[in-house]
């Protein structure tokens, strides 16, 4: 249980079960222009009452203080019965003086998790153009601002939660507003511990009598890594109306993507490789970038589809006749310079305060404003054409610019506030999703924000997500764990092209975390021209690779672990060695362990009481029998070990 103590200056200290986690420190502060932060408020009064609402029953504590002869602070702390260890904070400041206050910024829920001899780890939900790991060890000097807005012209947005944890306890902070907010969630290694907070830096003027209400805040102490606080955040947000939609069955089908051929693919080579993909057990055939003349106009490339719509419909028909499901790549909100769209509808552009367009670097394009109704209508029309007219059964919505956009100052849009573009991006994705569902309720809508830390508020507009250009197998696994927390324990998370993993064949990192297997192999040879550089050995499906690919795909289809219950609280992705993951599926427990090399014991947690037969899931070898609920077994492996535990008896009953 979380305990928050306040002193007479409204400083606060956190503890759990009698263990002090932070010093008594200024959790909240407001900064006036040209002045030191104001962080001590004389406590005036306090009250407490029982409450009940969308998050269930709990207790509300109110405190009020004053400072600087003219600033009143109010803080409301709600402890919820169904969320032990979690508090919701509502903080507001009121100008009680006679002159306006020039506010430079604020911070809240700011605490140092006291140092531990084994150090600390962190999760940060912000997006960076270097596509850094979302989970990192907090080394001396470590620091990230974790701004939820744009951290580059085309990288921004994210999940507004940060977590830091020691081996014994963690602390998480976030906001639970139903729209994204331009706030930061800084994390920093301090001499006394690991700093975490939520902060705002937007200047404003507070008139006499006016109030500044901060976004509603989540503060949570927890066991293990970031999984538990993100899982609690997901459930809280669902109760507030933001949740992933129902998942159609096709979302779990394994994927082949034609991106191995790059933009210069030909229809014959796609159909040839697609036949091999079907033969080895894959279900989706994804046509990637290159079918169009440009980002923006979205006209069919006449070199590939000389008869236009008739050729595209025929191509889709060939995919379906072959027994596969067709999905099409699209990069909404991007428009290339020189396109007909920008010539005829320059009013669609998102413009900054200087009148400049926002760049999308990878596509060499500009960003359109998602809060401008003609933009929404234009892309709804594209969805009707792709799903309704051409007959595709899924969409791959792609690009690092999808996750967040900058405030828009285009005068043609008549925004009430420039921030509307950022806040209404979620509504844009929901509009496209609803358009697709109205045509085909089983359509798969994938958002792939290319290396961004996925924006949680966009989640109602998708029913499938990939690892989104992982730079390592570690990223595949940590992203999988994160998505299983944010979307639910049976979330349809795909490992992205296995060719992007360590050694370019690490299906074990897909399978073991309950990810949908995916590949972009070419066949029968490597592509002559490809957009991405080929790894050593190429990506063609050689006979040796085919044997391995078939084995993993068959294992995936036999166990369907993505549909199981990912038990993210059983293992700590930072401190536990070897790295462990567990899934409950079809009456069995499935374990996955990862290390470059391991010789020692592994611990099987979460077993039901009784005796269980252990099998190596990949080799089929018997690993003996153990008794639950926790068992330790000797292990020696390179890269991965997969274990299936099948119950023989339960509570002593055969």
């Amino acid at each position: 249980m979380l305990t928050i103590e306040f002193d007479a200056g409204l400083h606060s200290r956190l503890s759990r079960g009698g263990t002090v986690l932070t010093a008594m420190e200024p959790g909240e502060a407001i900064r006036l222009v040209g002045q030191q932060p104001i962080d001590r408020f004389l406590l005036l009064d306090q009250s407490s009452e029982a409450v009940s609402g969308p998050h269930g029953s709990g207790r509300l504590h109110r405190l009020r203080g004053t400072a600087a002869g003219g600033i009143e602070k109010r803080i409301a702390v709600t402890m919820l019965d169904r969320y032990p260890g979690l508090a919701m904070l509502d903080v507001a400041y009121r100008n009680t003086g006679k002159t306006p206050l020039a506010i430079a910024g604020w911070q809240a829920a700011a605490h140092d998790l006291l140092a531990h001899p084994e150090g600390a780890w962190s999760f940060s939900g912000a997006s960076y153009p270097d596509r850094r790991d979302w989970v990192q060890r907090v080394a001396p000097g470590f620091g990230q601002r974790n701004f939820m807005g744009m951290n580059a012209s085309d990288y921004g947005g994210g999940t507004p939660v940060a977590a830091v944890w020691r081996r014994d306890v963690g602390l998480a902070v976030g906001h639970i507003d139903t729209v994204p907010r331009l706030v930061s969630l800084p994390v920093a290694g301090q001499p006394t511990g690991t700093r975490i907070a939520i902060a705002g830096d937007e200047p404003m003027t507070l008139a006499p009598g006016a109030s500044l209400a901060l976004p509603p805040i989540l503060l949570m102490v927890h066991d293990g890594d970031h999984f538990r606080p993100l899982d609690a955040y997901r459930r809280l947000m669902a109760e507030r109306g933001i949740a992933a939609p129902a998942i159609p069955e096709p979302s779990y089908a394994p994927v082949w993507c034609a991106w191995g051929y790059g933009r210069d693919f030909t229809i014959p080579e796609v159909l040839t490789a697609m036949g091999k993909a079907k033969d080895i057990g894959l279900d989706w055939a994804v046509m990637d970038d290159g079918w169009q003349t440009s980002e923006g106009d979205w006209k069919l490339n006449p070199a590939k589809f000389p008869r236009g719509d008739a050729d595209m419909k025929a191509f889709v028909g060939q995919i379906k006749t072959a027994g596969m499901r067709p999905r099409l790549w699209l990069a909404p909100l991007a428009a290339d310079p020189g396109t007909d769209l920008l010539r005829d509808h320059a009013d669609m552009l998102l413009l900054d305060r200087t009148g400049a367009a926002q760049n999308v670097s990878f596509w060499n394009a500009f960003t359109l404003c998602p809060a401008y109704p003609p933009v929404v209508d234009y892309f709804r029309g594209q969805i009707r054409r792709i799903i309704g007219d051409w007959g595709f059964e899924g969409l791959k919505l792609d690009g690092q610019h999808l996750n967040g956009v900058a405030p828009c100052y285009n005068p043609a849009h008549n925004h009430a506030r420039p921030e509307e573009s950022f806040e209404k991006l979620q509504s844009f994705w929901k509009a496209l999703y609803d358009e697709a569902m109205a045509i085909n309720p089983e359509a798969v809508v994938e958002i792939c924000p290319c290396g961004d830390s996925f924006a949680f508020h966009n989640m109602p507009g998708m029913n499938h997500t990939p690892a989104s250009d992982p730079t390592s197998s570690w990223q595949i696994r940590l992203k999988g764990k994160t998505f299983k927390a944010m979307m639910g324990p049976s979330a349809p998370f795909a490992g992205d092209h296995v060719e992007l993993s360590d050694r370019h064949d690490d299906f074990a990192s897909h399978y073991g975390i309950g990810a949908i297997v995916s590949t972009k192999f070419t066949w029968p040879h490597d592509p002559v021209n490809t957009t991405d550089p080929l790894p050593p050995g190429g990506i063609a499906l050689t006979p040796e690779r085919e044997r391995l690919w078939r084995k993993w795909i068959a294992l995936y289809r036999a166990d369907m672990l993505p549909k199981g219950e990912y038990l993210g609280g059983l293992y700590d992705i930072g401190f536990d060695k070897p790295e462990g993951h567990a899934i409950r599926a079809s009456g069995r427990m499935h374990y996955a362990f990862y290390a470059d090399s391991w010789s020692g014991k592994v611990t099987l947690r979460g077993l039901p009481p009784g005796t269980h037969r252990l099998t190596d899931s990949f080799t089929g070898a018997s690993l003996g029998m153990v008794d639950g609920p926790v068992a330790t077994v000797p292990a020696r492996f390179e890269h991965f070990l997969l274990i299936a535990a099948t119950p023989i008896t339960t509570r002593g009953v055969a």
Side-chain angles (χ1 to χ4, degrees), residues 130 277 309 366 572 584 649:
D130 61 7
D309 287 356
F366 297 133
D572 183 328
R584 183 187 296 121
T649 63

Side-chain angles (χ1 to χ4, degrees), residues 118-175:
E118 294 186 66
W121 285 78
S122 71
F123 163 81
S124 299
S127 299
Y128 290 92
D130 61 7
R131 302 185 178 187
R132 66 191 62 175
D133 294 341
W134 304 351
V135 172
Q136 300 177 73
R137 181 176 280 279
V138 181
F142 175 86
Q144 287 190 177
R145 182 187 176 208
N146 296 323
F147 180 50
M148 288 292 113
M150 301 306 294
N151 293 302
S153 66
D154 48 0
Y155 284 88
T159 293
V161 176
V164 297
W165 66 94
R166 313 182 312 207
R167 182 178 287 278
D168 60 331
V169 68
L171 179 61
V173 172
H175 85 71

Side-chain angles (χ1 to χ4, degrees), residues 546-561:
E546 181 175 340
R547 287 190 290 273
L548 184 61
W549 264 233
R550 283 182 181 274
K551 183 172 183 177
W552 280 114
I553 293 166
L555 185 60
Y556 172 83
R557 298 181 73 97
D559 292 334
M560 289 304 295
L561 295 189

